[in-house]
Amino acid sequence: MGETEKTVDSSPLPVGPQPGVKYPIKVEYCGNCSMPFEFCDYYPDIEGCKDWLAKNLPDQFERLGVAGSGGTEGDGADADEKKRQKRGGKGMMKAKKKEADVERKIILSIAPRGKKKAVTVVQGMKTFGIDLKVASKFFSSKFACSSSVTGDDEIVIQGDVKDDLFDILPEKWPEIDEDLIDDIGEKKR
């Protein structure tokens, strides 16, 4: 036990105020990315951060501009890409998939659940550009039941509400025509 206490005490972290540092420490944050200015380089929209800094805090922009230009400028675009984060995180924007030549059709089906219960499966709402979470929330409140988004383009509504959907879908979303709604009957999930 005595040895572990010695190793902890041999490299202590500084405790208390440090000499040469003015307290309290004031940290300024970027209005574009809401991070300290030193971390703006790692935000995907670095140009937006630079514009915000130049407009709102020109003296801070000058200090960061001088400090940031000390690196190698030989590979320009490559250096800029290396700074940006590649994997996930708050700042990454997802690229939207293009819907090229996708048949715009909504498919309704009933799937049995147990002996006497059933669920209604709605597929194809994404082809009309409808947010599935919003549609699921709407169905839940309209039919007073549970509904959830399952899979890529599928909403499952508890209960047999297929007949009501033929009237409600075109009423709520005018871009959906009644002719574009298909009923395939009963289907195993």
Side-chain angles (χ1 to χ4, degrees), residues 36-161:
F37 298 126
E38 298 83 34
F39 296 104
C40 286
D41 290 341
Y42 304 107
Y43 191 68
D45 184 24
I46 190 169
E47 296 302 319
C49 292
K50 287 180 180 177
D51 293 341
W52 187 89
L53 269 174
K55 183 178 165 187
N56 296 313
L57 298 169
D59 57 330
Q60 187 75 19
F61 179 69
E62 291 297 322
R63 273 191 272 151
L64 283 177
V66 170
S69 64
T72 58
E73 293 292 324
D75 25 311
D78 293 336
D80 191 38
E81 273 202 41
K82 287 179 187 174
K83 288 181 188 175
R84 295 189 180 205
Q85 94 187 55
K86 299 274 192 244
R87 299 176 51 206
K90 180 180 175 188
M92 289 303 277
M93 311 295 175
K94 281 189 176 177
K96 292 191 175 183
K97 296 177 184 174
K98 290 190 177 181
E99 300 163 2
D101 301 329
V102 177
E103 187 179 0
R104 294 172 58 132
K105 185 176 273 189
I106 293 183
I107 300 169
L108 303 178
S109 61
I110 300 295
R113 188 177 71 91
K115 290 184 180 179
K116 293 184 178 181
K117 299 187 183 215
V119 293
T120 306
V121 180
V122 182
Q123 295 174 321
M125 293 194 71
K126 209 175 208 179
T127 60
F128 289 92
I130 297 169
D131 186 18
L132 297 181
K133 285 185 178 181
V134 172
S136 174
K137 184 85 169 167
F138 171 74
F139 294 144
S140 293
S141 63
K142 186 72 174 176
F143 300 123
C145 65
S146 173
S147 68
S148 61
V149 178
T150 60
D152 187 35
D153 190 14
E154 183 179 83
I155 298 176
V156 176
I157 307 167
Q158 286 187 358
D160 186 358
V161 293

